[in-house]
């Protein structure tokens, strides 16, 4: 095999050098030189000569045939939804997450399910021997004939095996263990990870085989982590959850073939991951009904409404500055909502500590949860519980007004499905849709009105 030349390029200013240096002579920054494979000029398409045969041509957009991407649907509906309807042939998907969260388990399960559908699958592990993979497979009850496992880290050999087997689906676990011979730095370094990924991208695009790569997120941050790969791949899925919690959330953060911010929920069991079809039920399972400081909100996670409990604990500050802590919601929303409650409702919150928590370990990121947070805070402060069958939806503005939210009908339907009796929502959201049976909808214009309705007694 011909050894291709590499060069070192400064990531800050683009300075090129044949040798590695600690300090870039171009911009004087430290540790920014990264090894890259030099593109040989003979294979480059972008030479300025007339002799190019396959020159791409601009086309009229109306003349391009639009075709629906055929997708490989897995047996996991949660995964299909996060991917935007299934696996797109020729796509390169990065599955990131903390070590030990269950990435290998998830991908081995998907591999076996696809193999059961008579699609040959190649599962490449650079971390485990084939025997270790087999142990895991036994635990998961995998008995597929068409599932090939390979323990290999050299990308050149991996490419050869993909070419030989011609699988319908490939998993590379993990990208941090894969290396290319041409690059001299160690596996897991920025150069190796990047060059290997771009080679896998090429394989996926030319062969049409979808490839899923695993990337560990390092606590230290972006170095050699999947972050730097995000712009290179077609889709990025993050697998999150608390190690000691059984629930795992698969979240799309980038998707060239579908919407992002979709979320799939799984439960880690003894015999592998199981889909959670109705997340609202599990998030409300341990709710302490009738306790002050607890409210339920219907939040949209992608296209799906999820009901989640929001808890607040307000207690007098003992020393100095009051504390404002939030888990699961944007921590800058809490002081803002407390200021609104103080100024517009007249609650004396300035010498109170506030702790806000979203139960179940989910992260909520949309303005429609404002009202539920505000009502929880007021409820805990006044030590007065909300009704257990009430739901609060609405964005809170700085003048204390309740602003319109999106997809109110779906949210209310989900609430009705789970047996809630009353929805307190923005007045401006009341028109143009039909209220489901068995649930009452109350429109409010201000936070004060919401508290009068929800905390009346
Ligand atoms: P793993 O898939 O190896 O994590 P990652 O590839 O992200 O590093 O998952 C490891 C954890 O999952 C480990 O703590 C054991 C647990 N586990 C189960 O609870 N049930 C199972 O069936 C399997 C295979 C793993
Ligand atoms: Mg693993």
């Amino acid at each position: 095999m011909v050894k291709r030349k590499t060069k070192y390029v400064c990531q800050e200013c683009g300075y090129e050098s044949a040798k590695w240096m600690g300090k870039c002579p171009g911009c004087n920054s430290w540790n920014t030189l990264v090894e890259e494979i030099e593109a040989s000029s003979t294979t480059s398409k972008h030479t300025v000569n007339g002799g190019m045969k396959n020159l791409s041509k601009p086309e009229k957009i109306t003349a391009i045939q639009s075709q629906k991407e055929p997708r490989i649907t897995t047996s996991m509906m949660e995964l299909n939804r996060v991917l935007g309807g299934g696996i797109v042939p020729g796509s390169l998907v990065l599955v990131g997450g903390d070590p030990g969260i269950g990435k290998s388990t998830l991908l081995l399960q998907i591999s076996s399910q696809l193999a059961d559908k008579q699609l040959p699958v190649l599962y490449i592990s650079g971390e485990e021997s084939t025997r270790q993979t087999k142990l895991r497979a036994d635990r998961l009850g995998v008995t597929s004939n068409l599932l090939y496992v390979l323990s290999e880290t050299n990308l050149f050999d991996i490419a050869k095996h993909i070419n030989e087997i011609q699988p319908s689906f490939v998993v590379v676990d993990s990208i941090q263990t894969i290396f290319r011979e041409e690059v001299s730095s160690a596996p897991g370094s920025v150069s190796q990870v990047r060059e290997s990924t771009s080679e896998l991208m090429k394989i996926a695009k030319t062969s049409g085989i979808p490839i899923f790569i695993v990337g560990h997120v390092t606590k230290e941050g972006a170095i050699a982590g999947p972050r730097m790969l995000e712009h290179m791949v077609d889709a990025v899925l993050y697998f999150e959850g608390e190690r000691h919690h059984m629930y795992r959330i698969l979240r799309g953060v980038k998707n060239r073939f579908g919407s992002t911010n979709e979320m799939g929920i799984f439960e880690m069991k003894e015999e592998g991951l199981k889909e959670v079809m109705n997340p609202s039920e599990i998030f409300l399972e341990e709710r302490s009904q009738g306790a002050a400081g607890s409210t339920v909100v219907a939040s949209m996670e992608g296209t799906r409404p999820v009901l989640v409990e929001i808890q607040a604990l307000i207690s007098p500050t003992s020393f100095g500055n009051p504390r404002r802590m939030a888990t699961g919601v944007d921590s800058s929303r809490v002081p803002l909502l407390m200021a609104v409650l103080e100024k517009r409702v007249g609650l004396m919150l300035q010498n109170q500590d506030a702790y806000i928590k979203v139960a179940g370990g989910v992260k909520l990121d949309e303005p429609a949860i404002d009202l539920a947070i505000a009502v929880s805070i007021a409820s805990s402060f006044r030590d007065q519980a909300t009704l257990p069958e009430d739901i609060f939806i609405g964005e809170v503005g700085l003048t204390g007004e309740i602003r319109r939210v999106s997809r109110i009908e779906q949210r209310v339907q989900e609430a009705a499905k789970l047996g809630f009796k009353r929805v307190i929502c923005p007045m401006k959201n009341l028109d143009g849709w039909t209220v489901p049976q068995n649930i009452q909808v109350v429109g409010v214009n201000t936070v004060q009105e919401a508290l009068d309705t929800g905390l009346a007694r």
Side-chain angles (χ1 to χ4, degrees), residues 98-105 136 139-140 216 268-272:
D98 292 331
I101 205 76
K103 301 181 293 298
S104 306
T105 308
R136 187 197 300 270
R139 188 169 172 186
L140 299 173
H216 295 293
M268 181 60 101
K269 294 232 168 142
E270 266 309 298
E271 62 289 353

Side-chain angles (χ1 to χ4, degrees), residues 46 49 60 80 122 128 141 146 149 156 169 233 243 245 294 299 312 333 337 356 370 376 415:
H46 300 285
N49 65 16
K60 282 188 184 165
N80 291 342
L122 179 59
E128 295 167 354
L146 286 173
V149 290
F156 184 75
F169 181 63
V233 298
R243 238 166 185 277
H245 250 247
S294 152
S299 175
R333 299 297 292 173
L337 291 168
I356 311 293
D370 282 356
S376 294

Side-chain angles (χ1 to χ4, degrees), residues 403-419:
R403 310 177 73 112
R404 188 198 297 270
V405 300
S406 62
R407 303 193 193 230
I408 187 74
E409 189 166 4
Q410 276 169 279
R411 296 177 202 257
V412 174
Q413 273 166 1
E414 178 76 6
K417 204 168 86 191
L418 284 173

